[in-house]
Amino acid sequence: MNDREPAVELDAVVLAQGPRTLLADASFRVGQGEIIGLLGPNGAGKSTLLRALLGLVRPRAGRISVLGRPVRPGATRVGYLPQTEPNGQFLSAWDVVAAGAAGNRLGLPWRGGTARAEIDAALAELGATHLAGRRYVNLSGGERQRVRLAQAVLGRPALLLLDEPLVSLDPAAQAETVALLRAIRARLGCAIVVSSHEINPLLPAIDRVLYLARGALALGPVDQVITTKVLSRLYGAPVEVVRVGGRIFVLPGEATLPLDRAG
Amino acid sequence: MLHYAFMVHALLAAGAVSVLCGLVGWFLLLRAEAFAGHALSHVGFTGATGAVLLGLPPLAGLISATLAAGLAMGGLGARIGRRDVAIGMVLSLALGFGLFFLHFYTSYAAQATALLFGNVLAVDRATVLALTGLCLVSLAGLALIGRPVLFAAIHPEIAEARGISPRAIGMAFLAICAIAIAGAAEIVGVLLVFTLLIGPAAAAQSLSRRVTVGLVLAPVLALGQAWAGLTAGFYSGWPISFWIAVFSFLTYVLATMLRPTEP
Ligand SMILES: Nc1ncnc2c1ncn2[C@@H]1O[C@H](COP(=O)(O)OP(=O)(O)O)[C@@H](O)[C@H]1O
Ligand SMILES: [Mg+2]
């Protein structure tokens, strides 16, 4: 990958899951080092799009390139945080991270000195060194995300795909996790695509937003995409975008002024 | 007791099988497929009764049946091992057929008891050699695929994104599991396979949050239970499988009580 190449490039991509078309003819690019918020209602296809970027879901049509190459599973420079939690939660956080260190190589699951140093470094990078010895199951939501992010940044990826890392976190833990995204980007210079069905917690971290609904998408700065006009087009129904105190609310239906009702 | 050839045979066979079972069980629990292991042993019962009916050695029938079922389970789907209802139905059908085959035996009760509750003292030299050989091959196989099995068990989606086929790894692991279960069925009987497969592994997971420690502890506990059971059986004259079941349960309960608390 040279400096000019986008981290992700889709060219006329069609993604479908059974009878449902999740992405009809999508073309867009994500630049190196960009943080993209992947937004959309539940079932819009956010997870499926991320899995397509990992080569786990084949597009019906079109081309997907990741880090300058046609997408394929097994790309080592792509980090992934899936929507579901890891298994084996009785294990220490260190072991949960370590399971992913060169885990695709054959052999015993023993870790050599180099691998151990790499795992320690990843945990340190995420400020999770003090969690390393604790059982994963006993960690709080925010602590778990630190550990899972440490596993995702193993091997210093150039692209990080995070599926709903904020779901089921309380607001403080959400803010903590979002701050980590900026810290990771500053350290690794990697591009990050982070999905969420809620935009507000992500606002401090993202450069652009990719909004997905009913097979269509819009990509751009938050102010240009999260608007009444664009979202009404995506949903195919009138919605109203309201901004209050730096936060954004998407409401169904057309705006009616209280005065009109009163009349 | 080491003056008796049958005891030496029993110690060797039980030793090889229990070490393999401890290790396999540890991974099986991690994959949340304990119930699948239970079902495999019942399928083995059908294989053994069928083999005897055809005039073949029961061990051959046991292994063919568990191996076929293990490969089928692994091949059918990544997470089929967790489909409790489907597995329970297959398990019941297998037991039904086992009973059907038993119906044609002349020495019905003795055969049934040996298969259901084990008859380790009847293990002859040829069977000891066969069991030990199979266990060694399985241990070598597990040593080879240990790392990807661990990765796929803890982070199934990330492992897939790294190019590990969940189906291939599931089939390879469940094939090894099938051999461990057939061996355990030969020692403690199909109904008590859990005593060697799950008991020690569960105790190890209670006692240690480390992969490396667990993978040493589980086979050591399994071996200790098997040999303690044989010794107690030899001196008391009571059934060995009974003693192994008791020791397995005690180890499990003790380990649960001794489970280290978080600092
Ligand atoms: N393996 C699958 N088989 C069939 N349908 C699926 C599968 N995975 C997801 N879907 C469907 O595809 C749609 C998009 O799912 P998903 O990508 O998980 O959405 P999101 O992550 O935005 O909530 C949903 O309607 C879902 O039911
Ligand atoms: Mg999703």
Side-chain angles (χ1 to χ4, degrees):
Chain A
M1 181 181 65
N2 69 39
D3 292 351
R4 292 295 180 85
E5 260 156 8
V8 172
E9 185 169 20
L10 269 72
D11 184 14
V13 168
V14 177
L15 271 185
Q17 207 46 280
R20 282 196 58 194
T21 302
L22 300 174
L23 214 54
D25 192 24
S27 301
F28 66 84
R29 292 168 161 220
V30 173
Q32 289 179 35
E34 249 194 308
I35 303 186
I36 302 286
L38 175 55
L39 271 292
N42 280 328
K46 303 181 291 293
S47 298
T48 308
L49 175 56
L50 292 178
R51 287 172 62 79
L53 297 182
L54 290 160
L56 296 177
V57 176
R58 273 177 183 282
R60 289 269 161 92
R63 258 179 356 98
I64 301 181
S65 308
V66 168
L67 304 175
R69 290 188 182 188
V71 70
R72 63 180 175 93
T76 44
R77 302 218 58 211
V78 181
Y80 177 38
L81 188 146
Q83 198 165 348
T84 46
E85 288 241 43
N87 301 313
Q89 302 196 353
F90 70 93
L91 289 170
S92 74
W94 195 93
D95 283 89
V96 168
V97 174
N104 45 351
R105 283 203 215 121
L106 291 179
L108 290 167
W110 276 204
R111 301 294 160 191
T114 325
R116 282 207 300 272
E118 218 176 279
I119 294 157
D120 291 340
L123 282 163
E125 204 114 48
L126 272 297
T129 304
H130 64 293
L131 305 173
R134 297 195 30 212
R135 286 187 193 253
Y136 184 89
V137 67
N138 292 337
L139 302 181
S140 72
E143 291 171 334
R144 287 179 181 201
Q145 294 310 42
R146 278 180 192 270
V147 171
R148 295 179 69 200
L149 284 168
Q151 129 61 230
V153 303
L154 270 181
R156 308 185 74 80
L159 172 66
L160 209 48
L161 304 175
L162 312 177
D163 202 352
E164 305 255 9
L166 304 181
V167 85
S168 76
L169 294 185
D170 60 47
Q174 285 187 343
E176 190 184 316
T177 306
V178 167
L180 287 174
L181 301 188
R182 292 206 79 99
I184 290 172
R185 196 253 306 264
R187 287 284 185 88
L188 302 183
C190 58
I192 302 178
V193 179
V194 47
S195 81
S196 173
H197 56 269
E198 228 204 305
I199 188 159
N200 288 307
L202 276 182
L203 283 174
I206 57 180
D207 302 315
R208 289 195 295 165
V209 57
L210 178 59
Y211 207 106
L212 207 60
R214 299 195 325 139
L217 65 80
L219 174 65
V222 173
D223 288 342
Q224 288 170 31
V225 170
I226 313 292
T227 61
T228 299
K229 196 168 146 224
V230 172
L231 292 194
S232 295
R233 176 172 61 77
L234 280 181
Y235 281 109
V239 298
E240 181 76 13
V241 174
V242 181
R243 288 178 160 73
V244 181
R247 288 190 299 160
I248 303 175
F249 297 93
V250 180
L251 312 169
E254 246 150 327
T256 38
L257 291 174
L259 280 180
D260 294 347
R261 289 233 190 103
Chain B
M1 65 179 182
L2 295 179
H3 298 305
Y4 296 93
F6 70 89
M7 275 309 284
V8 175
H9 288 160
L11 285 167
L12 284 178
V17 167
S18 58
V19 166
L20 178 63
C21 277
L23 284 169
V24 165
W26 193 90
F27 284 109
L28 199 65
L29 281 182
L30 199 62
R31 291 171 57 93
E33 288 177 339
F35 192 51
H38 186 64
L40 278 184
S41 73
H42 289 68
V43 173
F45 175 70
T46 315
T49 48
V52 173
L53 207 56
L54 296 173
L56 299 169
L59 181 62
L62 252 176
I63 290 189
S64 330
T66 54
L67 209 51
L71 287 172
M73 253 186 219
L76 275 177
R79 286 286 151 224
I80 192 138
R82 294 178 176 180
R83 292 200 201 142
D84 291 355
V85 174
I87 290 174
M89 293 309 296
V90 172
L91 178 162
S92 311
L93 182 70
L95 268 187
F97 267 98
L99 178 69
F100 176 67
F101 294 151
L102 273 179
H103 179 69
F104 298 103
Y105 286 7
T106 39
S107 56
Y108 185 102
Q111 282 284 4
T113 313
L115 283 172
L116 290 175
F117 294 105
N119 191 5
V120 63
L121 297 185
V123 175
D124 58 20
R125 213 178 116 78
T127 313
V128 170
L129 288 179
L131 274 179
T132 313
L134 278 170
C135 288
L136 286 179
V137 170
S138 306
L139 282 172
L142 198 55
L144 190 68
I145 62 169
R147 213 184 252 230
V149 167
L150 184 76
F151 190 10
I154 297 182
H155 304 288
E157 287 150 308
I158 307 175
E160 199 183 355
R162 282 266 178 282
I164 297 177
S165 151
R167 178 164 304 174
I169 209 75
M171 285 175 75
F173 174 72
L174 284 172
I176 292 172
C177 190
I179 291 174
I181 287 169
E186 189 77 10
I187 307 293
V188 290
V190 293
L191 287 185
L192 295 178
V193 160
F194 256 42
T195 58
L196 291 180
L197 192 70
I198 301 302
Q205 293 192 357
S206 265
L207 291 174
S208 178
R209 65 193 74 176
R210 304 305 311 271
V211 170
T212 43
V213 179
L215 287 178
V216 172
L217 209 51
V220 166
L221 288 176
L223 183 67
Q225 286 168 21
W227 282 359
L230 277 166
T231 312
F234 179 82
Y235 288 108
S236 67
W238 295 348
I240 286 161
S241 298
F242 158 73
W243 282 114
I244 295 180
V246 168
F247 290 136
S248 180
F249 184 75
L250 286 180
T251 312
Y252 172 73
V253 170
L254 268 178
T256 310
M257 290 189 324
L258 293 178
R259 183 189 168 103
T261 45
E262 288 278 308

